[in-house]
Amino acid sequence: YCDITGSDIAGLNLSSPANQFQTSNGSVEIGYGQCQPSTTFGADSTTEFGSIILDKNGCQLTFSSNHSNYKIKNLILDKSTVLNLSAGDYWVENFTVTGGSPNINIAGDVRFFVKNTINISGALKFNASGAGELLFLGYSNIALNTSNIDINAYIYSDAEVTINGTNTIWGRITSRKLTVNDDSKIIGGSNLQLSFGKATSTSVVFDEAFSAGVTPLVFLMPTISSSSTNADGPASVFLSN
């Protein structure tokens, strides 16, 4: 029930056979201090894993697009690490961010299911570029415990979602209870990057480059003379790297 709108919606029945959590029986894992600059899982027939720990700067793990369903017992992220998820479903029994500024990228639409309480205590970037549609579903509580977290997703919890610090959620949150503290924001829609520039000749250089793979939509307004407002000539724009 929402105290603001005075309305209620029916939640998902996550205990029904169709929605039951899928556990992992896998033993392949990455232990503490074992992650590498470039590792790929799923290139063979293995889709179930034990503990996956990315805890060293520069570590990167990619899940292959050979499969669309992966199961993981424990996923722990820390430091400046990167996790790349291909399109599909990911079943994670325990998901924890213990610190640092890890980045989870998705390539296509991803559903990310977590069985137990989620604790995010680092500056996690999860689908920050909005490269695909992300469903981030918790069967239990979800807690964002620190600042500078950036998640682009539809977040659903069958329990409570708590957001502390200064964080940004691009999308929507549905839960039994939602608590937003400090200066966090929930912004509906996609992550729209706006950049502005001004020039009277030749070129405009933006302060921040657009993300890789992003095609910008550019609006051009010709310069208008302050002394003769009808003296605005034709204008053109050319984009280059």
Side-chain angles (χ1 to χ4, degrees):
Y1 179 81
C2 178
D3 291 332
I4 298 174
T5 63
S7 61
D8 194 7
I9 61 172
L12 298 175
N13 182 7
L14 296 182
S15 61
S16 70
N19 294 326
Q20 285 185 351
F21 186 87
Q22 300 181 23
T23 58
S24 171
N25 294 313
S27 58
V28 175
E29 62 182 23
I30 299 175
Y32 285 101
Q34 296 179 351
C35 64
Q36 300 297 319
S38 181
T39 303
T40 299
F41 278 169
D44 54 14
S45 60
T46 304
T47 59
E48 299 188 21
F49 303 89
S51 295
I52 295 177
I53 303 168
L54 304 182
D55 61 347
K56 295 192 302 182
N57 289 328
C59 285
Q60 180 168 264
L61 171 65
T62 299
F63 280 91
S64 170
S65 60
N66 290 350
H67 309 282
S68 59
N69 195 69
Y70 289 98
K71 302 174 185 178
I72 305 167
K73 288 183 180 179
N74 302 295
L75 177 60
I76 300 174
L77 304 180
D78 204 327
K79 301 293 193 300
S80 179
T81 53
V82 177
L83 177 63
N84 299 314
L85 306 180
S86 60
D89 293 345
Y90 295 81
W91 303 85
V92 183
E93 292 182 43
N94 299 288
F95 174 52
T96 305
V97 177
T98 53
S101 54
N103 197 329
I104 304 179
N105 303 312
I106 70 173
D109 296 343
V110 166
R111 298 193 300 178
F112 192 85
F113 304 98
V114 181
K115 180 179 181 181
N116 298 314
T117 295
I118 300 168
N119 281 296
I120 300 176
S121 299
L124 173 68
K125 303 294 184 289
F126 198 168
N127 188 33
S129 66
E133 296 292 331
L134 172 63
L135 171 63
F136 188 9
L137 189 149
Y139 283 70
S140 187
N141 296 331
I142 300 176
L144 279 59
N145 301 316
T146 189
S147 293
N148 300 316
I149 297 170
D150 193 345
I151 301 176
N152 191 323
Y154 172 33
I155 299 176
Y156 183 93
S157 171
D158 201 38
E160 180 177 357
V161 174
T162 303
I163 304 176
N164 298 308
T166 302
N167 302 297
T168 303
I169 307 298
W170 300 90
R172 293 178 293 171
I173 297 177
T174 301
S175 61
R176 294 185 182 275
K177 182 180 180 181
L178 172 64
T179 302
V180 180
N181 299 315
D182 300 321
D183 296 323
S184 290
K185 298 178 291 184
I186 302 172
I187 303 173
S190 61
N191 185 348
L192 179 63
Q193 178 185 354
L194 298 177
S195 295
F196 300 90
K198 180 181 179 182
T200 56
S201 64
T202 61
S203 64
V204 177
V205 178
F206 293 107
D207 292 336
E208 295 184 10
F210 286 92
S211 302
V214 171
T215 301
L217 178 63
V218 177
F219 295 90
L220 175 66
M221 185 180 71
T223 301
I224 300 175
S225 172
S226 59
S227 59
S228 178
T229 57
N230 291 323
D232 52 320
S236 59
V237 63
F238 300 93
L239 299 180
S240 61
N241 293 333

